[in-house]
Structures are given as C-alpha cells and as structure tokens.
Amino acid sequence: MSATYMYNCSMCPYFGKTKEEILQHLVRRHKNEPKFKVHCSKPGCGSSFNKIRSFSQHLYRKHSSDVLSEIESDEEATTEEMSFTCEDISNEELTPEQDRKRSEAQFLLKMIADHNLSQRAIEDIITSTKLMLNEQSNMIKLELSKNIPENIFLQLDFNQIFRDASFCGLETQHLRERYFRDKLGYIKPVPVKLGSEFIQKRLKQKYRFVEKEHYGYYIPLFQQLAELLKMPEIKDELNKETENTFEINDFYDGSYYQKQYFQDHRNALLFCIYYDDFEIVNPIGSHKKKHKLSIFYWTLLNITPEFRYKSAATQLLAIAKATHLKKYGMKALFEDFIHSMQELHRGKVLTINGEIQTVYGTLYCVIGDTPAAQYLGGFKEGVGNAEKPCRVCEVSLENIDYSFSDRVSKLRNEEEHRDRCGILEELKGKTLQYWSKKYGVSRRSELLDIPEFEVTKCILQDPMHVLLEGIVKLELQLLLTSFIEKKKYFTLGDLNRKIKNFSYTVEEGADKPQVLEKKALDIKKNFPMSAVETKNFMTLLPFMIGNEIEEDDENWKNFIRLLKITLLVISPVASSNTIMSLRQLIYSHNYSFRKLYPEVLFTPKLHYLIHFPDQILKFGPARNHWCMRMEAKHGLFKNKKWKNFKELPLSVALHHQRWMCLQQCGSNGKTEVYLYTGDSVSYGVEWHVQQLSDTVRNTLLIHNPEFEAQQVLQSNQIEIKGITYRPGSVLIEDYAEGDIAFLIIKHMFIFNNKKYLECSRLEILFYDRSVNAFACKVVSENETVCICTQDLKYKWPQIMHSINGTIFIMLANVDFCWD
C-alpha cells in the first residue's frame, strides 16, 4: 500500500485512508468528548480545530485535490496491515451493543455535566428520541415491505433493533447513575455528619423542638486516585524524570524536597490542598452569605506546572456549608483524607488497570488566602487579634512595623508549635484565651496528624492575595491620591482617558483595567479591580504616566520597586538571582513605604512579603503557589443556574463529580487528552519552500535532516501550553550577566508538528528607570534569525508597548530584574 500520507486522529491512535474515514471516526468516537481538538496531519499544514464542522470545511477547501492512500492490490492492503486503531480496541473490549450504550451514556453525561441540563430535561430527551425512532421504524418498515419478500421481511424484528438503539437501560436517573459508576468511573460523594442542633418545627398544630443534623460531603481519596492514575497522561507525568539544573523551576528544585522521605521515595505522590469560602449566587441585603460554601480541592504536584492547576486536574476533596464548618470544625470532614495520607505514607497497594502497584505519597503543601490558610493551620484567622500574627515566624504585633527582612525575626519551630498546641488542649476559659492570643494559635490543626507535614513551613503565602489583592491595591490608591490631589501631575479624568485609549494587546484587552471613580482612591474602600485587572493596570501604568512623573519622585521609585517584586514573585521561573534581588527589593520597599506613608497602618501583608524569598528557595517559583487557577474553578459552579438550594453542598458535589467523570471519559475508556489537547495553530497561508528565507530553510534542515516538503504553513497565532505567540511578540534571545538580547517575531511557520519563529533582532537604546523598560529599535528588517520554540530558554513573550514611536520592553516571566 503506497500513500502520500495518512489521516491520523490526534485524540487516539487511529489512522484513516480518506477524508470520509477520518470524519466518520471523529463523529462516531469523539463528538461527545469535552476537550475535542483535531489537528490536520497533512505535511506542511498542522492547523488545529475545535469543531468537526470546521475541520471538515478545512479539508475540502484546502486539501480537496490531494492524492490519498491508494490500495495497489487486495493482497497488499489487508486488515492486518492497517495501523493500530480505536476500532481495534473497541472490538476487543466491547460488543457493538455495549459500545452503543456507552456512547449514549456519554452523550447524556455531556448534556448533564457540560450543558447543565436537569434530570427532567434528560428524560424528556430520551422520551422524545424514542418516539422519533419509533416513527422512523414504522416508516422504514412500510418502505421495506414493498421491496423485500414477505418471508424475509417477517424475520426482521424492527422493534428490537430500534429499542436497543434508544437509551435502553438509561431511562431513569438511578439507572444512569449506576451506569456512570460501573462503566465510566463516576464517584459519588459520601455524606458525613458534622453536628446537629435543635430547631423549632411545627408538627400537628404545635411547635416542637426537633433535632436537625448537618452534613458535609467528601469524595473518597483512594477511589479518586485509582481513576486518576488510569489516565495515560498522568502515568507519563509520574514516570517523567526531573533534570538537575541551576534554575528553580518547580517543587523538585526547592530545598524542602531534600528531606529524607522524598529522597527515599522519588516517585512519591505529592499532594497540594486548597481551601476557600465562596458563594455560587450573588444575593444582596439580609441574604448575603446565606449560601456560602466551604470547599476543598486537591491536586498532584507531580503534574507539570502548565497543567497542574487546570480545572480537570483539580479534584474535589470535600465541601460543606461555611457556617457548619466554622461551628463544628473540620475533623469529621477530613477524616478520610487524613487516614488516606497516613496509609500512603506507609505505602498503599492499589489496583490500576489490572496491575497491582504500591503507591507512596503525602501532603506536601497547602495554599489559600490568609484566613483560609490560618484556619487550616489552626492559627488565628483574624491576625490583628494575635500577639504573633505570622504563621511562619515569631514576630510580635508591636514589632511588625519594623520587620523588613526575614532574617530579623525568628522562625517558628515545628516541635515547639506542637508543644504549644498540646498546652492549649489542656487549658480552659480565660487562661486558654490568653495563651491562644499569646501564641497566635487557636487550636491543634488536623493536618498535624499527616506524616511529614509541617504546618509552620508548608502552608504557603499566596502571591495573588498578598500582592494583587492586598499590597498592590493599597499602594496604587496611595500613589494615585498623591499624584492627583497633592502633586497635581494629572487629573483623574486624564488618567481615565489614558485607560480608555491605551493600545492593549489581545491578552491585556481580555482583562483591561477599569475606569476609576474618585471613591476608588479611598483606602477605606476596596480598589474596584480583579486580581488580573490589577496586575495589568500595575504593569501598564508606567507606559501610561511614566513620562509625566518627576525623575526623583520617591513615591514613584517605590512603586517601581513593588512592580519588580510582583513580576519576580509571579514569574514561573526562579534562580539564586531571584532570591537575592527579592530580599534587597523587599527590604528597600518596606522601609521606604514606612517613611512615605506614615499615616497608613503597616498591614500584616507587607510583613508576609518578606517570607517569599525563603518560600521560593524551599518550594520553587511562587507562581506555582498562587490561588488564581484554583479560584477559577469556582466558575464551574457559579455558571450553573441553581434553582433548588436545599442541601446545596450535595448538589454542588454531585455536579462536580459528574463533570469530572465526563473529563476523564474517552471513546474507549480513559481519555488520551485529559491534561492537554495539543498546541493550537490558527490556519494561515501555505508558503512554498522557495518563498522562505535562507535562514528559515537552514533551520528547517537542521531540525529535519530529510526535509523535502514543498510547502509549510505560515500562521498568525500559535498557542503552546497556554503561551500565545503572534507576529510582533518580543522574546529574549539570550541573557548573560549584564547583557540581554531581544527578538521580535516577524513570521511563524509550522512543519512536522514543530513551530519555527522567524525574528528580527532589536537593538537596545537605553534603559528607562521611570518606565522600568528598555527602549529598543529594530536592527534590520532584512537580517533575521529563526528559532524553534523548543529551543527557547525564556518561552514567554515580554511586555511590549510603543511610546512616541519608540518600542519599550518590560521584563516579565524571568528570574531576574534590571536596575
């Protein structure tokens, strides 16, 4: 069998000979998958599509004249010679009836979990479909009776044929839930009694006191783990070897990972849990916080940072009403998790895909906002009511104003903390209140029962809440008040016009800063921007007003320090340069803040800032510690329209588990695209090889020694693991101590699933401290370099904007800052 090329499915190992075969396969196997994405496999193309219809139109418009696989003879093209396909798996594991029922169940699950249809709507769909098929059955019977001999016609059981193809065995909610559990890996939440109270209830014309029990819900950890470890991508992530580098790229590169347990069990599962209170509705007035929920998630730190906090990779641990959790505590809710961690520490035998494995693991860290983190660790939630307001060090409340370095305050000792918790358990009344306030500890945390976990070290500070939701908003209010009302650099109207008329990039435009009202500058009120909007406003403010500020303005200098601190802390890469720079910048910033704004209270978040260098040194880049992506998962519940609020925690848990079951389902078992569906490539123009510059052709030959293609795809947008590249994006070509080189993308090409960037070099004119950016110009439009995206050291595009015709580039997502 000879072929120009075969059509291969990017979601499973299927190969087809014709366009029709690949399209039929996608409709039959993958149309109900939640992460549908298909790539054109024609050499020189590589475009990606999220809809079958778009892919079909692309094939018939762009590749309609291609010569596909031609069978030279029946002897040469046999079934045995065909490549491994999805259909091969299906025929071995499922009968046609079972395969059809699975497809129907997955369709119903998609309607319930992805499109938020009610159980009543699902049953209406089933009933209507049955009626439609019955009518079609009668019509087909009538037509066939005219053309088929009577003795053959009577042998056909049309009712049985259409009954088997119409959701048989899935008619009721009970049957559907049972099928989801037995065949698709659905895990049902388990209720646990948190406590009870006596309430007045009218019974037989009289009011009586009756006991009302309050429940929370948890998801059995080992059941979740067994399903998760069946994912092919998760298996690959666990078997991935880590490289020893001088950079700090992840938890494995931190000093805390050098503990003996982790060195003895290099493949141990490292768990991270997150806790938050949120509302799925936005009530006003007296009903505010009526439906507030406390939710716990967990994820595996063994997963690559790019995919670790994706909604599908983040599992539900437990959920309860916030009022019930605060009243009765979290001991009962966490009992399964604590017990599971203890078993995993010793080694737990699990059966995964029929293979018996001994799995090790433990809780590695906890993330959350300050009140949530304090509660999980057993510390005072209201840090203003504690003499020791920091869970990391022993700094006192009266000395917190002058703690500008982490080397000044003594760190909390884990053994001493456990002793203090033991003392508090024996005390009562005012004595308990006194020592609780003295220690800054409310109770003994349930997390202390987890082996290898240290509450004084492993409950991490969150960059999003400490910086973007805290210090940055406060300093923006103080800075703008000073510039507008005291120094008269510009007016609020001038600033708002700049915010409106600024030339935002596509990414910045999705979360561009809001126009500010006068009350937004009042420090007693909240700054009206989300965390992402605040981050964008902070980084773009120098481009907006930097040239209007006096060169020696101390307020502006301190803001630039805070900008550098923020960019270093939220960077996905770090090194020893990061640690040293942060320590110096944080000390200078906090010291200057105290002098510049003496009328403002020195908030605890300014103190928490000093612990970030040590946290990065121990646990890796702080971007991997923030709650941004975890909070984004709340949207799964907020976007659903809830009508019944009775036993809301159960409803939310059920919705999540159905959705998670859908994410893990594939056409024949567990999905191959659980974490990543592949790079996104926008279709552009096919370039003939002769149109390429010598630089691009030479680079293609280096990476593809047998390069013989006639055409390559030129695209205007490429997304690789969440990083988007476009013509005009600026990248770092090289960085050496005291020297840096920038590139600006001119064209982007795709060949053999690799992405190549043709770039022009930029010449640095000078570094502008007032803007915290480099002024640059293009060296030559004709002189270009070509780089494969795999070879980039700093993969992230830099922040680039033009001021008065000059290109200014601000460093971002790097491990160093410039000064």
Side-chain angles (χ1 to χ4, degrees):
M1 182 171 60
S2 62
T4 304
Y5 69 92
M6 299 282 286
Y7 287 101
N8 66 288
C9 176
S10 54
M11 303 185 71
C12 70
Y14 172 79
F15 289 85
K17 297 179 293 182
T18 65
K19 299 181 179 73
E20 289 74 17
E21 281 190 12
I22 189 66
L23 291 173
Q24 289 173 5
H25 165 78
L26 292 172
V27 171
R28 185 168 62 251
R29 292 295 179 193
H30 303 298
K31 63 181 178 181
N32 292 323
E33 293 207 18
K35 298 178 182 177
F36 179 85
K37 182 184 285 186
V38 63
H39 302 264
C40 181
S41 56
K42 179 184 181 300
C45 188
S47 305
S48 61
F49 303 89
N50 295 322
K51 296 180 180 179
I52 296 178
R53 181 179 178 84
S54 301
F55 179 55
S56 173
Q57 291 174 343
H58 168 78
L59 290 179
Y60 283 96
R61 288 175 181 174
K62 303 297 180 181
H63 309 310
S64 58
S65 60
D66 294 326
V67 179
L68 301 181
S69 304
E70 297 177 356
I71 302 176
E72 295 180 347
S73 64
D74 292 339
E75 292 78 13
E76 293 178 356
T78 61
T79 305
E80 288 74 20
E81 288 178 329
M82 292 301 294
S83 299
F84 183 70
T85 68
C86 253
E87 279 73 4
D88 294 334
I89 303 174
S90 176
N91 293 335
E92 291 174 5
E93 295 186 351
L94 301 175
T95 64
E97 291 77 12
Q98 293 172 331
D99 194 22
R100 183 169 57 240
K101 186 173 182 180
R102 181 187 182 88
S103 179
E104 292 171 352
Q106 198 167 340
F107 165 75
L108 295 178
L109 183 59
K110 186 178 180 70
M111 294 299 104
I112 296 170
D114 229 17
H115 297 285
N116 298 325
L117 294 189
S118 64
Q119 297 293 344
R120 182 174 179 178
I122 294 298
E123 290 174 7
D124 285 346
I125 289 174
I126 293 174
T127 303
S128 300
T129 303
K130 285 178 176 288
L131 291 174
M132 180 184 67
L133 289 175
N134 285 335
E135 291 178 4
Q136 291 181 350
S137 171
N138 293 331
M139 293 173 61
I140 294 173
K141 285 172 64 176
L142 183 62
E143 292 295 324
L144 290 179
S145 64
K146 300 175 183 178
N147 303 316
I148 297 179
E150 184 177 358
N151 61 332
I152 298 177
F153 179 77
L154 293 174
Q155 296 177 15
L156 299 175
D157 189 352
F158 289 92
N159 292 331
Q160 181 63 38
I161 293 173
F162 281 90
R163 183 163 54 249
D164 290 344
S166 57
F167 305 105
C168 182
L170 300 169
E171 294 87 351
T172 67
Q173 181 179 353
H174 172 70
L175 291 174
R176 289 191 292 274
E177 297 271 332
R178 187 172 67 181
Y179 187 88
F180 295 159
R181 183 189 67 237
D182 296 342
K183 303 297 183 181
L184 302 184
Y186 169 68
I187 305 171
K188 195 170 182 179
V190 178
V192 57
K193 182 179 176 182
L194 301 179
S196 62
E197 62 178 341
F198 286 92
I199 61 171
Q200 272 192 332
K201 191 172 183 179
R202 189 172 181 176
L203 297 173
K204 296 181 180 180
Q205 306 301 319
K206 290 185 179 181
Y207 283 98
R208 302 178 184 275
F209 281 97
V210 296
E211 185 180 11
K212 183 178 181 180
E213 296 179 336
H214 299 300
Y215 288 87
Y217 299 86
Y218 71 90
I219 317 299
L221 183 68
F222 285 137
Q223 291 184 36
Q224 284 182 302
L225 204 55
E227 293 298 325
L228 183 65
L229 296 180
K230 291 177 184 177
M231 301 288 118
E233 289 174 285
I234 298 295
K235 186 177 180 181
D236 293 340
E237 291 287 328
L238 296 179
N239 294 331
K240 189 181 298 182
E241 293 186 4
T242 57
E243 298 180 2
N244 293 324
T245 62
F246 292 104
E247 290 83 17
I248 305 173
N249 296 314
D250 203 1
F251 286 88
Y252 297 105
D253 303 317
S255 61
Y256 193 77
Y257 188 69
Q258 301 306 314
K259 287 183 65 175
Q260 191 61 44
Y261 178 81
F262 303 120
Q263 296 304 306
D264 293 341
H265 304 90
R266 302 290 292 184
N267 294 324
L269 301 178
L270 307 181
F271 289 80
C272 169
I273 63 173
Y274 165 80
Y275 161 50
D276 192 21
D277 291 341
F278 76 106
E279 289 188 88
I280 61 173
V281 293
N282 292 314
I284 58 175
S286 61
H287 293 286
K288 191 176 182 182
K289 299 184 180 180
K290 181 178 180 181
H291 301 298
K292 197 170 189 178
L293 300 176
S294 292
I295 196 164
F296 300 85
Y297 300 130
W298 67 267
T299 190
L300 283 180
L301 300 178
N302 308 74
I303 300 173
T304 307
E306 290 90 347
F307 312 131
R308 179 180 300 153
Y309 298 115
K310 294 187 74 170
S311 293
T314 305
Q315 309 283 333
L316 178 63
L317 173 61
I319 188 170
K321 273 198 170 183
T323 53
H324 297 162
L325 187 73
K326 294 297 188 293
K327 184 176 181 179
Y328 303 115
M330 55 180 275
K331 184 176 181 179
L333 199 62
F334 259 56
E335 188 173 348
D336 174 77
F337 181 75
I338 302 294
H339 180 68
S340 300
M341 287 296 104
Q342 292 170 347
E343 285 195 66
L344 276 173
H345 183 264
R346 298 188 297 267
K348 174 68 175 178
V349 178
L350 295 176
T351 302
I352 302 168
N353 291 328
E355 181 182 348
I356 298 177
Q357 301 179 18
T358 301
V359 180
Y360 293 88
T362 189
L363 179 62
Y364 197 79
C365 69
V366 171
I367 60 175
D369 60 21
T370 299
Q374 296 284 113
Y375 176 77
L376 277 176
F379 300 96
K380 290 284 188 183
E381 291 181 65
V383 293
N385 297 323
E387 289 190 20
K388 294 184 182 352
C390 181
R391 62 178 178 271
V392 179
C393 71
E394 298 277 358
V395 66
S396 64
L397 192 62
E398 59 183 16
N399 293 327
I400 198 171
D401 290 19
Y402 304 99
S403 57
F404 305 137
S405 171
D406 60 338
R407 299 181 179 181
V408 174
S409 302
K410 177 187 173 183
L411 297 179
R412 287 186 185 253
N413 180 274
E414 184 70 14
E415 292 184 7
E416 185 179 8
H417 174 75
R418 290 173 182 264
D419 292 339
R420 289 173 176 177
C421 291
I423 292 171
L424 292 178
E425 287 182 321
E426 298 175 358
L427 302 178
K428 295 181 180 179
K430 291 185 177 181
T431 308
L432 173 61
Q433 292 178 9
Y434 173 81
W435 286 106
S436 176
K437 184 176 181 179
K438 188 79 173 176
Y439 296 149
V441 178
S442 297
R443 59 183 175 81
R444 185 183 189 278
S445 171
E446 289 76 7
L447 301 182
L448 290 173
D449 295 329
I450 298 177
E452 302 297 330
F453 187 78
E454 300 178 73
V455 296
T456 58
K457 295 178 182 177
C458 302
I459 303 179
L460 308 181
Q461 304 288 350
D462 170 35
M464 187 185 88
H465 287 96
V466 172
L467 281 163
L468 300 179
E469 293 283 1
I471 300 169
V472 172
K473 287 188 174 184
L474 173 63
E475 190 148 347
L476 279 171
Q477 289 174 317
L478 295 169
L479 180 78
L480 294 176
T481 299
S482 174
F483 286 175
I484 293 171
E485 297 181 2
K486 297 178 181 179
K487 300 180 181 179
K488 309 292 184 181
Y489 289 149
F490 48 81
T491 66
L492 185 60
D494 294 335
L495 178 60
N496 284 333
R497 279 189 291 273
K498 290 180 182 292
I499 293 174
K500 282 183 180 179
N501 301 325
F502 192 78
S503 297
Y504 298 99
T505 63
V506 175
E507 289 78 15
E508 293 165 354
D511 295 287
K512 63 183 179 182
Q514 301 177 26
V515 172
L516 299 173
E517 297 180 8
K518 188 173 182 179
K519 63 181 180 181
L521 306 183
D522 187 353
I523 62 172
K524 295 180 181 178
K525 297 181 180 179
N526 188 37
F527 193 71
M529 292 188 192
S530 67
V532 183
E533 291 170 348
T534 302
K535 181 247 180 185
N536 285 340
F537 184 53
M538 181 191 202
T539 53
L540 299 180
L541 194 61
F543 298 114
M544 294 179 182
I545 65 171
N547 56 358
E548 299 183 26
I549 310 301
E550 292 182 3
E551 187 175 349
D552 59 347
D553 191 291
E554 291 298 327
N555 299 74
W556 184 249
K557 286 182 179 179
N558 209 44
F559 173 76
I560 295 298
R561 289 190 193 103
L562 181 61
L563 174 57
K564 292 179 180 179
I565 291 168
T566 304
L567 292 175
L568 284 176
V569 167
I570 66 175
S571 174
V573 293
S575 66
S576 58
N577 288 333
T578 310
I579 310 301
M580 291 188 292
S581 298
L582 274 176
R583 282 193 170 125
Q584 182 178 354
L585 286 167
I586 291 170
Y587 187 97
S588 300
H589 172 268
N590 286 4
Y591 180 81
S592 298
F593 185 92
R594 198 81 214 85
K595 291 178 62 178
L596 292 169
Y597 310 107
E599 73 282 1
V600 180
L601 290 176
F602 195 87
T603 66
K605 287 183 179 179
L606 282 164
H607 168 76
Y608 300 155
L609 198 60
I610 71 174
H611 293 302
F612 275 114
D614 189 56
Q615 182 173 305
I616 293 172
L617 193 61
K618 289 179 179 176
F619 296 95
R623 187 187 184 91
N624 298 338
H625 311 159
W626 71 353
C627 303
M628 186 79 75
R629 293 306 309 158
M630 290 290 200
E631 284 199 4
K633 183 155 185 174
H634 296 341
L636 174 66
F637 312 116
K638 293 182 178 181
N639 293 336
K640 178 178 170 62
K641 187 175 181 180
W642 300 92
K643 296 181 179 179
N644 187 350
F645 295 92
K646 184 178 181 180
E647 204 56 46
L648 189 59
L650 175 60
S651 300
V652 170
L654 288 171
H655 177 59
H656 177 273
Q657 288 309 107
R658 291 169 186 145
W659 181 85
M660 184 58 71
C661 177
L662 177 65
Q663 304 307 305
Q664 296 180 344
C665 280
S667 56
N668 294 277
K670 295 304 180 183
T671 179
E672 298 275 350
V673 288
Y674 177 62
L675 296 177
Y676 193 47
T677 57
D679 303 339
S680 294
V681 178
S682 297
Y683 185 77
V685 180
E686 290 185 356
W687 283 32
H688 194 276
V689 173
Q690 299 303 321
Q691 294 177 267
L692 303 175
S693 66
D694 293 339
T695 304
V696 175
R697 282 201 298 271
N698 292 335
T699 304
L700 287 171
L701 283 170
I702 292 172
H703 288 82
N704 306 276
E706 299 178 0
F707 177 67
E708 297 179 356
Q710 297 299 311
Q711 291 180 325
V712 296
L713 178 67
Q714 182 268 324
S715 177
N716 290 324
Q717 180 173 311
I718 298 173
E719 184 178 323
I720 304 174
K721 296 181 179 179
I723 304 173
T724 302
Y725 302 92
R726 295 185 182 87
S729 297
V730 173
L731 300 168
I732 295 177
E733 179 186 17
D734 191 21
Y735 168 71
E737 194 67 34
D739 193 17
I740 190 168
F742 293 111
L743 300 173
I744 186 167
I745 298 176
K746 189 175 180 181
H747 297 114
M748 301 187 297
F749 301 100
I750 296 90
F751 178 76
N752 198 19
N753 292 326
K754 292 182 179 179
K755 287 75 183 176
Y756 301 90
L757 311 176
E758 185 181 16
C759 309
S760 299
R761 281 197 170 92
L762 294 176
E763 178 187 350
I764 297 175
L765 302 177
F766 59 90
Y767 173 72
D768 191 336
R769 285 186 173 85
S770 64
V771 185
N772 186 41
F774 295 90
C776 303
K777 71 173 184 178
V778 177
V779 175
S780 173
E781 292 288 347
N782 298 324
E783 295 181 12
T784 61
V785 294
C786 186
I787 294 181
C788 181
T789 55
Q790 297 176 351
D791 298 333
L792 288 170
K793 180 180 179 182
Y794 296 102
K795 301 174 287 185
W796 302 267
Q798 304 303 300
I799 302 171
M800 188 273 287
H801 286 282
S802 179
I803 302 177
N804 298 327
T806 302
I807 297 173
F808 278 87
I809 301 170
M810 184 184 295
L811 295 175
N813 298 314
V814 292
D815 59 328
F816 61 94
C817 64
W818 204 268
D819 199 356

